[in-house]
Amino acid sequence: MKAAVWHGKQDMRIENRELRELKDSEVKVKVAWAGICGSDLHEYEEGPVFVPSEKEDPLTGDTAPLTFGHEFAGVVEEVGSDVENFKTGDRVAINPTLTHGNKPEDLDPYDGFAFIGLNTDGGFASHANVPESNVYHLPEPLSLQDGALVEPTAVAVQAVKEGGLVFGDSVAIFGAGPIGLLTIMAAKAAGASKIITLDLSETRLEKAKEVGATHVINSGEKDPVEAIFDIVPEGVDVSFEVAGVEPTFKQAIETTKPRGTMVIVSIFAKPIEWNPFQLTGKGVRITSSIAYTPTSFQQTIDLMASGQLKPNAVITDQIELDNIVEKGFEALSNDKSQAKILVELSGEK
């Protein structure tokens, strides 16, 4: 089958790849749509970050080259002999998080985790074999394109839950890329009163306003700290760092009110310099969010199905697998007007 395979930094190839044998506990999914994630872009530009490139992944046992793609949905084509909850023809979304499963779900990812599509073969291919526990029914009225957006939306839902956001809170979101935009939507759905979004791209800030930001700030034109304090003099209740660079990390802490919470959502590709004394006189709580729990993943599907979350507003392009490097990864690297690019596999809606 044709697949987009990561071989190394800036080395993504379209090639024929054999689908491994279906296990008794797995579901074979005919992939319809798959999204390109910011973490995929990190791996393409700067990796390996998550990808096991030199030695076997401790959880999956795999190593590069790997078929990428961890945001995907499709139709069940075959089920293993031990599968109980799915049948041929079911429309499904995939939770790509793999864990040991030995601890409660809020602790389980921190006991060791991997991702389908980063640590083992994923959804940038016509088919993918996935453990039954990672497969979720996709209800009406959601389309298979919607299904490909569940995973990144779940990241935002989990981040908002991690921040302890409650009705009436004010928030600052540093970065208006795909996850930043989805965090705006999730914060709005959770009842945030002021949603301040910061970015260097006017195009992204316009999109931020479209999806629910109440205030937008171009960090290249205004001092972001002063601009936020002009809106919320005491600082915001919760800030979300979704840019992954040193300046926004420090600004997110500085603009959070005393005893407020700053949530790290982004993946930092390299270390930063930071003095923890910034916290000493303020008492801001710093937490972080990696992926989502199974509960949050299902809640995201439910919120999308009810219309409370409508993440399809972040889609900026749909491309074919053959063009994934030029019109996908390179476009995301060079064109900041791009947000979420979906890759068409079967193309079924």
Side-chain angles (χ1 to χ4, degrees):
M1 64 178 180
K2 188 185 294 185
V5 182
W6 186 94
H7 285 261
K9 179 179 177 180
Q10 294 186 322
D11 187 3
M12 181 76 69
R13 309 176 195 174
I14 304 300
E15 55 190 36
N16 287 319
R17 193 171 175 89
E18 289 292 326
L19 183 65
R20 59 177 174 76
E21 184 178 352
L22 185 71
K23 297 178 181 178
D24 292 341
S25 60
E26 290 184 330
V27 172
K28 181 180 180 181
V29 177
K30 183 179 181 181
V31 182
W33 298 89
I36 302 176
C37 177
S39 56
D40 295 331
L41 188 60
H42 272 305
E43 297 288 358
Y44 175 74
E45 294 179 332
E46 303 155 341
V49 179
F50 289 108
V51 178
S53 61
E54 296 180 356
K55 59 181 180 180
E56 290 185 356
D57 184 272
L59 198 148
T60 67
D62 289 348
T63 187
L66 292 170
T67 300
F68 261 29
H70 62 273
E71 304 176 357
F72 64 101
V75 177
V76 174
E77 192 167 274
E78 184 180 349
V79 299
S81 59
D82 294 339
V83 172
E84 298 180 350
N85 297 313
F86 297 91
K87 64 183 185 304
T88 300
D90 284 348
R91 300 160 63 255
V92 295
I94 307 304
N95 175 346
T97 310
L98 300 171
T99 68
H100 293 293
N102 296 327
K103 295 188 176 182
E105 66 170 26
D106 59 331
L107 297 177
D108 195 37
Y110 305 102
D111 187 39
F113 67 90
F115 290 99
I116 297 167
L118 284 173
N119 305 84
T120 190
D121 287 336
F124 288 153
S126 63
H127 293 82
N129 291 337
V130 182
E132 180 183 14
S133 58
N134 293 81
V135 183
Y136 289 65
H137 288 284
L138 196 61
E140 298 291 349
L142 297 181
S143 69
L144 289 169
Q145 281 192 342
D146 292 327
L149 298 174
V150 172
E151 196 278 343
T153 309
V155 171
V157 168
Q158 187 69 51
V160 167
K161 292 171 69 174
E162 186 70 30
L165 193 153
V166 298
F167 281 105
D169 275 356
S170 58
V171 305
I173 298 170
F174 289 82
I179 298 298
L181 295 173
L182 292 168
T183 303
I184 293 169
M185 296 182 194
K188 181 179 179 181
S193 60
K194 293 184 177 67
I195 303 174
I196 306 165
T197 306
L198 304 94
D199 203 282
L200 295 169
S201 166
E202 282 296 331
T203 302
R204 286 185 169 183
L205 291 174
E206 284 298 319
K207 177 63 74 172
K209 286 192 288 186
E210 289 177 21
V211 301
T214 60
H215 302 76
V216 295
I217 298 166
N218 189 318
S219 301
E221 297 178 359
K222 295 181 180 179
D223 180 281
V225 176
E226 291 180 2
I228 289 175
F229 283 133
D230 284 343
I231 301 166
V232 188
E234 298 299 320
V236 296
D237 296 292
V238 187
S239 64
F240 298 90
E241 203 298 310
V242 204
V245 293
E246 183 176 315
T248 54
F249 179 88
K250 296 175 179 177
Q251 291 160 8
I253 297 171
E254 189 170 354
T255 55
T256 301
K257 73 177 187 181
R259 307 306 292 169
T261 302
M262 189 272 260
V263 185
I264 303 170
V265 189
S266 55
I267 302 298
F268 283 74
K270 56 186 178 181
I272 64 172
E273 290 188 6
W274 172 67
N275 186 347
F277 191 75
Q278 186 183 15
L279 295 179
T280 304
K282 200 165 188 183
V284 171
R285 301 177 179 90
I286 295 182
T287 185
S288 60
S289 181
I290 181 69
Y292 31 74
T293 63
T295 296
S296 292
F297 198 89
Q298 183 61 58
Q299 288 172 339
T300 301
I301 293 174
D302 296 341
L303 287 164
M304 289 173 60
S306 70
Q308 292 168 272
L309 286 175
K310 299 179 180 179
N312 55 0
V314 304
I315 299 173
T316 50
D317 203 359
Q318 300 172 22
I319 64 173
E320 296 181 356
L321 184 65
D322 285 336
N323 300 323
I324 195 171
V325 174
E326 179 184 356
K327 293 185 177 181
F329 288 96
E330 290 296 330
L332 288 168
S333 294
N334 301 314
D335 182 359
K336 297 307 177 186
S337 69
Q338 292 287 359
K340 179 58 63 181
I341 296 177
L342 291 186
V343 181
E344 179 179 345
L345 281 309
S346 77
E348 186 174 342
K349 298 290 180 73

